[in-house]
Amino acid sequence: MKSLAVSSIIPLKFGTHVGAKLIRKPGMVLCVRSDDSRATQDRQQQLNLSVLRFTFGIPGFDESYLPRWIGYGFGSLLLLNHFVGSYLEITPAQLRTEALGLSLAAFSVALPYFGRFLKGATTVDTVTIPPGAEQIFVMSQNIADTQKEDLAWATYVLLRNTNTIAALICVEGELCVRGYWNTPDNYSKAELPDWFKRQIEIIGLSDLKDPLYFPKTAEFQSWEMLPEGTCTLLVEPLLQDSDETANENEENKGFLLLASSIGFAYSDKDRAWIRAVANKFVR
């Protein structure tokens, strides 16, 4: 009987826990390679890209008013063209076009106001730093390095892109706390995660199943860890995906807590985006 010889390299893929390994046998070479590093990088890139929001990064500039500035710009150009750039006789068609353009520019200017009136919002408040609060950034010691990067990035974009002054993420009992909090002076930075865990146990957020949103109430004023002057509180539970477990038996993996110094700080769009960020820690 003739012997069978395989001269080419045959790539085999096993589970994610199999490392790269080269197996040699007489007449056969098997190359076994794990995709652990690539899968980890893909998940990291997916998180980093999915939590980005459109922003110019200009301090004090509210991107929600961008249509207004666009309307001012194009409206000014139309008026400038009408009074300065028209050397010939103005035709009725040009007048109709300019009137239409000015109408669209006026609509763009008024669009941010219409959106706020439809949502029932009042005058926009400015986020202020609470007096006596300390700015901190602490994490539990038992968090993996990749998880620390995810938590640090998530808390940063939440503080940067929303009206948040304090952010806390709890994933399977491990904490990431960032922003301005009311912390005791006699605790070191390494002891603060345990202090926050005790505060969470007192409040009872570990088994939360539904989101909590207090836009302007005093129901959370007794929470010791919140900074003075907190007006809005949002808590999003981290629940296991419904396709893995039944809806009535969803497992709580933790929660995301945000605090703001202005009332009605989070719109429906903000809460939907915040929920998407929170869901990244249960997939």
Side-chain angles (χ1 to χ4, degrees):
M1 181 181 294
K2 295 183 180 180
S3 61
L4 178 63
V6 180
S7 59
S8 61
I9 297 178
I10 305 174
L12 299 180
K13 294 183 180 180
F14 292 89
T16 56
H17 297 286
V18 180
K21 186 177 180 182
L22 186 64
I23 303 175
R24 296 182 180 274
K25 290 184 179 181
M28 180 177 294
V29 180
L30 299 181
C31 179
V32 181
R33 183 175 59 186
S34 172
D35 288 344
D36 261 351
S37 59
R38 181 178 295 274
T40 302
Q41 293 176 359
D42 291 343
R43 287 193 298 268
Q44 177 71 18
Q45 184 180 15
Q46 180 185 10
L47 173 66
N48 291 347
L49 294 178
S50 61
V51 298
L52 290 177
R53 299 183 76 190
F54 176 76
T55 174
F56 287 113
I58 303 176
F61 181 76
D62 188 356
E63 285 81 9
S64 63
Y65 285 104
L66 184 60
R68 182 180 68 177
W69 298 112
I70 293 176
Y72 282 148
F74 282 99
S76 300
L77 290 175
L78 283 173
L79 293 176
L80 185 65
N81 177 74
H82 179 81
F83 292 106
V84 179
S86 298
Y87 298 100
L88 302 177
E89 182 181 357
I90 300 177
T91 63
Q94 181 179 349
L95 288 176
R96 290 193 296 269
T97 303
E98 290 177 347
L100 178 61
L102 289 175
S103 300
L104 294 176
F107 178 76
S108 297
V109 171
L111 187 61
Y113 300 103
F114 292 156
R116 295 187 182 277
F117 288 145
L118 291 175
K119 293 178 182 178
T122 56
T123 305
V124 178
D125 297 327
T126 303
V127 176
T128 58
I129 298 176
E134 180 184 1
Q135 186 176 12
I136 62 173
F137 180 29
V138 296
M139 289 189 187
S140 300
Q141 298 296 326
N142 300 326
I143 303 178
D145 291 339
T146 55
Q147 186 81 334
K148 286 182 179 180
E149 294 177 3
D150 295 344
L151 290 169
W153 178 249
T155 52
Y156 170 77
V157 296
L158 287 169
L159 291 168
R160 175 65 183 83
N161 295 331
T162 64
N163 295 318
T164 301
I165 60 173
L168 184 150
I169 301 178
C170 176
V171 182
E172 296 183 350
E174 307 301 333
L175 300 180
C176 176
V177 186
R178 194 169 189 170
Y180 292 92
W181 294 88
N182 184 26
T183 56
D185 298 331
N186 57 342
Y187 279 79
S188 64
K189 187 176 180 180
E191 296 172 334
L192 283 178
D194 293 332
W195 180 82
F196 275 98
K197 287 181 180 180
R198 289 194 294 270
Q199 297 299 315
I200 292 171
E201 292 177 358
I202 295 174
I203 298 171
L205 296 175
S206 301
D207 297 327
L208 188 66
K209 295 296 184 181
D210 298 314
L212 298 178
Y213 181 50
F214 303 107
K216 203 168 185 178
T217 63
E219 297 183 23
F220 53 85
Q221 296 299 330
S222 59
W223 297 10
E224 183 180 353
M225 63 182 182
L226 293 178
E228 182 181 356
T230 300
C231 295
T232 301
L233 183 72
L234 175 64
V235 184
E236 282 286 344
L238 308 182
L239 302 177
Q240 191 74 33
D241 288 344
S242 59
D243 55 350
E244 296 181 6
T245 58
N247 290 334
E248 62 273 9
N249 296 322
E250 285 183 335
E251 183 180 359
N252 185 293
K253 296 292 185 179
F255 62 90
L256 183 152
L257 186 150
L258 302 178
S260 177
S261 60
I262 63 176
F264 299 94
Y266 307 111
S267 63
D268 294 339
K269 183 178 179 181
D270 291 331
R271 296 200 297 272
W273 179 75
I274 293 168
R275 191 178 306 112
V277 175
N279 289 338
K280 292 299 178 181
F281 295 98
V282 294
R283 293 178 180 176

